[in-house]
Amino acid sequence: MNNWVTEELKTADLGDKRLNKRLTFIVEGLASKPDKTVPQTFEEASQAQAVYEFWSNPHVKPSQIIAAHRDATLLRIKGHSIILVIQDTTDLEFASLATRRGLGEISKQGVEGIKVHNVLSVTTDGVPLGLIKQIAWVRKKTRKGKGYEERKRKIEEKESYRWLESFRETQELVPPEMEVVTVCDREGDIFELLASPRREGAHLLIRAAQNRNVKTSTEQGEIQKLFTLLKSQEVVGEIVLDLQKTPRRKARKATIQVKYATVTLQVPSNKPPLKHNEPVEVAAILAEEINPPPKEQKVSWLLLTTLPLNNVSDAFTYLKWYSLRWLIERYHYVLKSGCKIEELQLETGERLLRALACYSIVAWRLLWLTYTSRLDPHQPATVALEEEEWQSLYVKIHNKLELPREIPTIYQCVRWIARLGGFLARKGDGEPGVMTLWRGWQRLMDYVAMWKFMVAMVNELECDKDKDIEMKKENRNKICD
Ligand SMILES: [Mn+2]
C-alpha cells in the first residue's frame, strides 16, 4: 500500500522540495504502522527526529498537506455522475501534559483538545473517495459569547460558518457537470446553509434539528410547525434500510415508514436582517422505524432537502444516501482508534494539527480499502496492494512458497488480511470491519518486511552464483591460455 503515497501526494507543494519529500516519507511510515508511536515506526533516531521537526516546522501548513490529498480525491471523483459530500465535526481530546500548550475547549466540559470539521466525498454506493476539505481549529479561551448573544451574531462570525464555507467550496471544486449532494447531521440544520446560493446540480440533504415555522403551498398563509406538519402526513411507503454498527447500536435491518411534504421554511425571527434571508422551499421527509428491537432506539429522521422529490422512490433514494452519512463516523473512529491520534505526545496544538493532517490521509486509505473491496470485489488485488504485499499475504495464508498463476481478487485479499487480524470468516460473520482489517494490516506489514528481505537475499545468492560461474569461466580461460 505504500507506493500509493507518492501518487496521492504528487501535487504537494509545501514551498520546498525537501519538505514535499519529507511529507511523502512520513505518510508512508505512518501508513505502514499507523497505531504505533513515532519512535516505534521510525526506528532510526534521526528519522524520528525528522518527523518531529517536520511537525514543528512553522512553514508547513496543515491545509497544504490536505490540499494534495484533496487534488487526488478530485481525480477519483471524476467520472461519477453523482457524488455525496458528507460534512461532520468531531472533537479530538488530549490529555493535559504539563508542557502542553495551544489547545482549546471542546464539547466535553473540562477537557482540552482540537475541533475537526471534515468534508468527505463518498460514492452513492458507499465508497469513500477522500477529503475535499478539513478545517481543524483550536477554540480561543475567551469566546465572544454564549447562548443568546452567540445566536444573535452574524453567521460569518460564528463557528458554524464552517458548514457554509465547506458547502461553497465543495460546489467550486466538484466539476460543474456533476451533481453533488452535501449531507449533514442535525448540527448542519442552519437556516443560512439551507438558504445558501447553490450552483446547478448542487444540493443539500440535512437532518432537521429545529422545529421551524413552515408554510405549505396548499394551506397558504397558515404557519405550522415542521415536525407537526410532517407527522400529520399520510404514510406513502415502507423501506428496509441496513443500519451499520455504531458505538451506540448493533447493525440491524430497520423497516421504515416514509412520509413527505414540500414546505417553505420561514426566516427565523432572531436572524439579523440580510438580503438573502428569504423563505426557502425544500422537501421534507419523515422516516420512522416500525417495530424496533426492544431497548434499541428507533430510527426517526426528519430530513430536509433541496433535491427534487416527485415520488416515493425519490424519498427512498435520499434516505439511502443519508444512511451513508455513517461513513464519516467510521472515518473519525479510524482516526481516533486506529491511528490513536489522541495519544500523540506532541507539545503544542500547532504540531498536533500538522500530525492530524498526515494521519487523516492514512485513515482515509484504510477506510477506502475496506469498502472498495466490498463493492468492487472482482478487481485484482493490485488495485490496492503492491506486489510484495499480496504475495507475502498469499504465502503466509497458504503456508507454502508457491504463488498462484493469477493475481487474487481484492475481495479475497482483504478477507485474508482480516484473518490476520482475527477475523474468522465463518458463515454469518459478514464482512470484516475496518478495525479487524487494521489489525491484520499491521501484521501483514511485518510479513512484507520479512518477504522483501528474503527476496533481496535470494537475489544476492543468485548474483553470487552468477559471479561464481563467471569466475570459473575466467579461471578456465586463464588455464587454457
Ligand atoms: Mn456530527
Side-chain angles (χ1 to χ4, degrees):
M1 144 159 155
N2 285 357
N3 282 351
W4 67 268
V5 179
T6 316
E7 193 59 27
E8 186 72 20
L9 297 176
K10 72 173 176 225
T11 69
D13 183 10
L14 303 177
D16 180 336
K17 273 190 189 150
R18 283 164 303 175
L19 287 178
N20 300 345
K21 260 196 170 161
R22 177 77 26 105
L23 172 65
T24 306
F25 171 76
I26 291 172
V27 174
E28 265 178 13
L30 299 180
S32 67
K33 290 176 181 169
D35 70 335
K36 297 287 187 298
T37 64
V38 170
Q40 282 169 335
T41 306
F42 301 91
E43 285 170 16
E44 278 173 43
S46 65
Q47 289 187 346
Q49 188 57 32
V51 177
Y52 290 127
E53 271 167 21
F54 182 87
W55 285 343
S56 309
N57 188 337
H59 299 294
V60 174
K61 302 274 176 287
S63 60
Q64 291 170 328
I65 298 173
I66 294 295
H69 166 61
R70 176 204 64 204
D71 292 347
T73 299
L74 291 172
L75 284 180
R76 282 186 285 272
I77 283 177
K78 268 191 188 164
H80 293 268
S81 55
I82 308 177
I83 198 86
L84 306 179
V85 172
I86 309 171
Q87 294 193 27
D88 195 35
T89 306
T90 192
D91 283 353
L92 297 178
E93 186 182 319
F94 294 96
S96 56
L97 301 176
T99 50
R100 191 173 259 167
R101 40 187 208 282
L103 294 177
E105 275 177 36
I106 50 175
S107 306
K108 202 162 146 190
Q109 291 250 311
V111 181
E112 286 198 323
I114 292 175
K115 297 198 69 87
V116 189
H117 189 70
N118 281 316
V119 184
L120 179 71
S121 61
V122 171
T123 64
T124 49
D125 53 7
V127 179
L129 297 183
L131 291 181
I132 284 194
K133 186 176 173 67
Q134 176 174 78
I135 310 174
W137 74 102
V138 171
R139 273 183 178 163
K140 297 228 170 65
K141 288 270 155 69
T142 49
R143 280 203 293 157
K144 276 197 179 155
K146 283 184 183 170
Y148 182 67
E149 282 301 313
E150 167 80 12
R151 282 199 297 277
K152 252 191 349 194
R153 279 165 44 212
K154 274 192 196 159
I155 186 80
E156 287 83 356
E157 297 166 8
K158 289 195 209 174
E159 253 185 10
S160 47
Y161 190 57
R162 64 184 189 270
W163 299 85
L164 281 79
E165 193 190 342
S166 302
F167 180 55
R168 183 180 51 75
E169 265 182 56
T170 299
Q171 298 186 60
E172 283 167 12
L173 290 167
V174 173
E177 67 278 10
M178 284 180 58
E179 278 199 55
V180 53
V181 181
T182 286
V183 182
C184 308
D185 65 3
R186 282 178 286 188
E187 223 191 327
D189 181 9
I190 301 164
F191 184 80
E192 288 90 337
L193 179 58
L194 288 153
S196 289
R198 290 183 290 111
R199 72 149 164 86
E200 203 182 319
H203 287 287
L204 291 157
L205 178 61
I206 300 176
R207 184 168 170 199
Q210 320 281 344
N211 198 4
R212 297 183 184 282
N213 287 336
V214 294
K215 281 184 188 175
T216 60
S217 46
T218 48
E219 291 142 84
Q220 269 188 0
E222 199 191 329
I223 286 190
Q224 302 185 57
K225 286 289 178 191
L226 174 66
F227 282 79
T228 323
L229 175 77
L230 262 291
K231 281 196 178 127
S232 70
Q233 303 297 306
E234 272 176 32
V235 173
V236 286
E238 257 180 42
I239 184 177
V240 177
L241 282 184
D242 278 317
L243 299 182
Q244 306 291 334
K245 187 175 85 180
T246 73
R248 276 156 293 166
R249 69 161 186 243
K250 285 189 217 152
R252 71 169 189 271
K253 285 195 187 300
T255 307
I256 284 167
Q257 282 190 334
V258 178
K259 300 171 174 180
Y260 64 79
T262 303
V263 298
T264 307
L265 307 173
Q266 304 301 298
V267 181
S269 54
N270 62 352
K271 293 294 163 205
L274 279 176
K275 261 190 287 176
H276 61 263
N277 271 357
E278 275 174 25
V280 187
E281 192 181 275
V282 292
I285 306 167
L286 182 66
E288 283 190 299
E289 186 176 4
I290 48 172
N291 305 322
K295 289 185 193 158
E296 291 283 340
Q297 210 184 352
K298 81 165 189 180
V299 172
S300 176
W301 295 337
L302 201 162
L303 307 181
L304 300 176
T305 185
T306 59
L307 285 154
L309 187 106
N310 297 317
N311 48 50
V312 69
S313 88
D314 286 345
F316 289 167
T317 303
Y318 306 154
L319 280 171
K320 275 190 209 142
W321 290 353
Y322 188 79
S323 72
L324 292 174
R325 204 199 66 83
W326 160 86
L327 280 163
I328 203 161
E329 307 277 357
R330 256 1 241 170
Y331 179 67
H332 292 153
Y333 177 67
V334 172
L335 207 51
K336 292 180 198 185
S337 309
C339 301
K340 297 196 175 153
I341 190 147
E342 290 167 313
E343 287 169 30
L344 281 174
Q345 302 285 309
L346 303 175
E347 287 186 345
T348 69
E350 299 265 292
R351 291 178 200 182
L352 287 167
L353 290 174
R354 290 185 198 101
L356 166 69
C358 295
Y359 275 109
S360 294
I361 301 168
V362 177
W364 160 72
R365 179 71 183 187
L366 199 80
L367 200 69
W368 172 80
L369 182 64
T370 310
Y371 295 102
T372 198
S373 75
R374 288 189 197 176
L375 289 160
D376 227 341
H378 303 297
Q379 298 180 95
T382 42
V383 295
L385 303 181
E386 299 298 327
E387 195 167 82
E388 54 256 27
E389 287 167 356
W390 74 258
Q391 289 184 346
S392 51
L393 177 65
Y394 188 91
V395 166
K396 165 65 194 158
I397 291 289
H398 297 86
N399 242 328
K400 56 177 185 189
L401 273 167
E402 223 170 294
L403 289 169
R405 271 197 222 140
E406 259 179 56
I407 300 171
T409 64
I410 183 63
Y411 182 78
Q412 186 59 69
C413 283
V414 163
R415 287 181 81 87
W416 287 335
I417 297 172
R419 255 167 67 184
L420 298 180
F423 182 64
L424 296 174
R426 296 166 304 199
K427 258 189 197 165
D429 278 343
E431 299 301 330
V434 70
M435 272 307 131
T436 316
L437 203 57
W438 192 271
R439 277 196 302 275
W441 185 261
Q442 311 298 319
R443 288 190 61 198
L444 177 60
M445 285 301 114
D446 290 338
Y447 295 126
V448 170
M450 184 53 89
W451 178 257
K452 280 185 183 163
F453 176 71
M454 278 163 44
V455 170
M457 212 162 71
V458 169
N459 284 345
E460 207 162 291
L461 286 175
E462 299 271 302
C463 202
D464 282 354
K465 226 194 274 166
D466 289 348
K467 269 189 211 152
D468 246 24
I469 295 168
E470 289 283 307
M471 254 161 54
K472 275 182 195 151
K473 266 192 207 158
E474 258 174 49
N475 288 343
R476 215 176 301 140
N477 289 348
K478 270 181 203 160
I479 296 165
C480 292
D481 286 345

